[in-house]
Amino acid sequence: MVTAKSAIKLPKDDLRWRPIALADVLAHDLRLDAGFFNTEGWQARTNMERCKWPIVHITGEDGIAVASRRPRFRGIWVGEAGVPIIQPSQVTAINPKANHCLSKLTDTDIDALKVQEGQILLTCSGTIGLCALVSKTLNGKFCSSDLIRITCQKEEDVGYLYAYLRTKAGNALVQSHQYGAVISHIDPGHLDSVPIPNPPARLKKRIHDLVMRSYTLRDQANSSLDNAERLFCEALKLSPIAKLRPAYFDKSTDLRNWTVNLSDYAGRMDASYHAPIANLILRRMKKEAAEMTTVGDPKISRRIIFPGRFRRVYVQEGQGVPFFGGKQIHEIDPANKKYLSRKHHQERIERELALDENMVMITCSGTIGKVTIVPKHWTGWTANQHIIRVVPATPEIAGYLYVFLQSDHGRELITRFTYGSVVDEIDDAHVAQIPVPLPKDAKKQNKIARLALEANVKRTEAYEAEQEAIRITNEDVIYVTR
């Protein structure tokens, strides 16, 4: 039995806590979960009360937008014959590409899953509060039912609302409404009670224009990369992966099977390494390339960095170095960044963790073969040990190597090295062995590289425009008091 005298005192210095008035509980639908009254969200509400501008809500009677989501359904997932669906974890990527296809036999209105240009998408299950704007890249694509679709009533509110949701205050207010014991959720109706300042139209338009410029630059970058990949396939006369038809040994069975010559054994007994699709791609490349080399060749890379595992010491924002993982490498501003202590990790940061412009990054644990090129605004940031860094020999090689490795053909040549019975892995020795084809047409190779580098510059410009929009929203809207 615990008495008042023997009760353990709460370590107030180590716990975030705040008193809650009964009136606050009654005023908010009897919410008793601590998350609803979290300090960040409550501080954001306090800032709204002090804000100079009138307060409305995201949706509802005085809302600036309407929100909806498609009903949940039991999906029937199939191969390439189905409808490609963008998942919530992909929607914040610079160029979202579906990894799963939904059968047309699924009991749901599939056409209603399409999103339209100008909508804001908000993740509402699992990781709550991530948002993306539907621009030309996403327009007309099919997206998961685990995304809330927000449609603004006025044009200038689109960019403003997006920037607001990207601020810490706006995001904290959205997250404060989440519920669920195992998987967190929010519903469109929760946005009825999320306050948002309503500044003059000219200020909202200034923020809107910056956000729209950011997404226009992303669209332009995506277009440049699509052109670069098309030129790469033309230079090496590569057919789309879906049209490549490897020959199997025995066609009388549904089980895929093939033979492997002893000379091709390479010390690997796992069937995936010897998959016919990878060998077919290699044969096509060897036939059309002026030269076949590898990532480890000094004329391709100066160094391949495979960081070791380490115990991390995190600090608050502004006190350390931005730090993110493989899940975020396709985002222009990695979500849920952490901050690594310089005091504890400075030597490791300088030796193997720090990023530099035009490094090529390849995920090497869990999901294998996600590839990106480091934009200028990531310079000096850090990434975890689940990402291998390739330091290119030249910027031109960096652009070309990135286009090749992120292509469907390059991904097959990366993932064939995968090993591990539970968690998939590759290491720096495997990356060094990845074959690299150099086209016969040197001018075309240079154009591929130039398009990739131009796209990388646009990504940084897009990041800067978005950050400026968020800064104005914070400084001129949220934190401007009466």
Side-chain angles (χ1 to χ4, degrees):
M1 180 177 179
V2 179
T3 65
K5 291 183 178 180
S6 63
I8 299 174
K9 293 183 179 180
L10 288 174
K12 295 181 180 179
D13 292 339
D14 299 327
L15 291 180
R16 291 183 299 172
W17 64 280
R18 57 178 294 274
I20 301 171
L22 179 59
D24 291 334
V25 175
L26 296 175
H28 294 91
D29 300 322
L30 300 179
R31 292 290 294 258
L32 293 173
D33 47 316
F36 182 79
F37 298 98
N38 69 73
T39 52
E40 292 85 358
W42 207 255
Q43 182 60 52
R45 284 188 176 85
T46 301
N47 291 332
M48 294 299 113
E49 294 172 359
R50 298 172 179 170
C51 183
K52 172 182 178 181
W53 311 112
I55 299 299
V56 292
H57 293 87
I58 293 180
T59 57
E61 293 182 1
D62 63 343
I64 64 172
V66 293
S68 64
R69 61 165 293 181
R70 297 301 304 158
R72 292 187 178 93
F73 57 88
R74 185 184 295 274
I76 302 174
W77 302 101
V78 294
E80 296 172 355
V83 178
I85 301 292
I86 304 292
Q87 300 296 329
S89 60
Q90 301 165 314
V91 77
T92 54
I94 302 169
N95 190 10
K97 294 183 179 179
N99 293 332
H100 301 87
C101 293
L102 192 67
S103 169
K104 295 178 181 178
L105 299 176
T106 301
D107 185 16
T108 189
D109 185 353
I110 295 179
D111 285 338
L113 294 174
K114 281 185 180 180
V115 294
Q116 299 176 350
E117 190 169 355
Q119 286 182 322
I120 297 171
L121 304 180
L122 185 71
T123 58
C124 58
S125 291
T127 302
I128 304 297
L130 300 181
C131 67
L133 180 66
V134 179
S135 61
K136 289 182 179 179
T137 297
L138 264 181
N139 184 39
K141 293 189 177 179
F142 299 86
C143 289
S144 166
S145 61
D146 286 327
L147 289 163
I148 292 176
R149 279 84 162 157
I150 303 174
T151 304
C152 291
Q153 299 175 19
K154 296 180 181 179
E155 182 181 354
E156 67 267 17
D157 286 340
V158 176
Y160 169 62
L161 176 56
Y162 170 84
Y164 178 74
L165 291 172
R166 291 279 288 118
T167 64
K168 287 185 178 180
N171 187 259
L173 288 168
V174 169
Q175 289 199 37
S176 68
H177 287 275
Q178 61 186 298
Y179 65 92
V182 179
I183 299 176
S184 298
H185 300 279
I186 60 168
D187 296 319
H190 289 134
L191 299 181
D192 291 356
S193 55
V194 175
I196 179 172
N198 191 24
R202 57 176 176 76
L203 183 52
K204 289 197 284 188
K205 188 175 187 310
R206 182 182 169 198
I207 296 167
H208 168 81
D209 289 344
L210 283 166
V211 170
M212 299 311 294
R213 170 172 166 73
S214 174
Y215 271 86
T216 297
L217 287 164
R218 298 179 209 213
D219 290 337
Q220 292 172 355
N222 293 337
S223 178
S224 293
L225 287 173
D226 289 342
N227 288 335
E229 188 170 347
R230 177 183 54 79
L231 286 174
F232 169 77
C233 291
E234 286 179 2
L236 294 163
K237 298 181 180 178
L238 293 170
S239 302
I241 286 287
K243 294 185 178 181
L244 294 180
R245 295 289 182 264
Y248 293 106
F249 177 65
D250 183 356
K251 298 180 181 179
S252 64
T253 175
D254 291 334
L255 181 67
R256 292 187 298 174
N257 58 91
W258 57 89
T259 59
V260 179
N261 295 327
L262 186 60
S263 58
D264 297 327
Y265 167 54
R268 298 289 293 254
M269 291 292 288
D270 45 325
S272 59
Y273 177 82
H274 302 283
I277 185 71
N279 292 327
L280 181 56
I281 292 170
L282 278 173
R283 285 199 298 271
R284 295 280 179 93
M285 287 180 173
K286 288 176 181 177
K287 182 179 178 181
E288 299 298 334
E291 178 186 354
M292 290 294 297
T293 182
T294 61
V295 173
D297 186 332
K299 65 184 176 186
I300 300 297
S301 66
R302 291 190 285 115
R303 187 183 174 200
I304 299 174
I305 305 171
F306 183 32
R309 297 180 184 275
F310 64 101
R311 179 173 294 180
R312 307 160 190 173
V313 178
Y314 298 123
V315 292
Q316 296 297 315
E317 181 178 0
Q319 299 176 358
V321 185
F323 179 81
F324 61 93
K327 187 177 180 181
Q328 293 88 27
I329 69 170
H330 285 161
E331 300 176 19
I332 196 168
D333 181 20
N336 301 321
K337 292 188 297 291
K338 297 181 180 178
Y339 297 87
L340 210 58
S341 168
R342 286 189 181 276
K343 178 180 178 181
H344 291 87
H345 301 297
Q346 185 63 33
E347 182 181 347
R348 184 181 290 272
I349 288 171
E350 294 177 353
R351 186 177 71 249
E352 56 190 20
L353 296 180
L355 305 178
D356 199 7
E357 185 178 7
N358 294 331
M359 272 184 176
V360 176
M361 304 171 71
I362 306 170
T363 55
C364 59
S365 182
T367 301
I368 305 296
K370 291 173 65 175
V371 178
T372 196
I373 186 170
V374 175
K376 185 177 181 180
H377 64 275
W378 286 5
T379 299
W381 290 15
T382 57
N384 67 23
Q385 74 274 13
H386 301 301
I387 303 171
I388 289 175
R389 291 87 156 145
V390 178
V391 182
T394 65
E396 290 73 24
I397 286 295
Y400 175 75
L401 184 65
Y402 166 58
V403 171
F404 160 56
L405 291 178
Q406 63 86 43
S407 70
D408 292 335
H409 304 84
R411 194 173 302 110
E412 290 288 344
L413 299 182
I414 296 171
T415 55
R416 73 183 307 216
F417 289 99
T418 301
Y419 69 93
S421 58
V422 179
V423 179
D424 290 340
E425 305 277 352
I426 60 173
D427 58 36
D428 51 337
H430 297 135
V431 170
Q433 297 174 54
I434 297 171
V436 178
L438 300 179
K440 295 174 183 176
D441 189 340
K443 289 184 179 179
K444 190 165 283 189
Q445 179 180 326
N446 290 335
K447 186 173 182 180
I448 292 167
R450 187 175 70 253
L451 285 168
L453 295 176
E454 288 173 357
N456 208 26
V457 170
K458 283 184 168 62
R459 287 178 175 180
T460 291
E461 292 174 355
Y463 169 82
E464 291 171 346
E466 180 175 293
Q467 292 301 303
E468 178 65 7
I470 294 171
R471 184 194 65 79
I472 294 171
T473 305
N474 277 321
E475 295 181 4
D476 295 350
V477 180
I478 297 174
Y479 296 108
V480 174
T481 58
R482 296 184 179 89

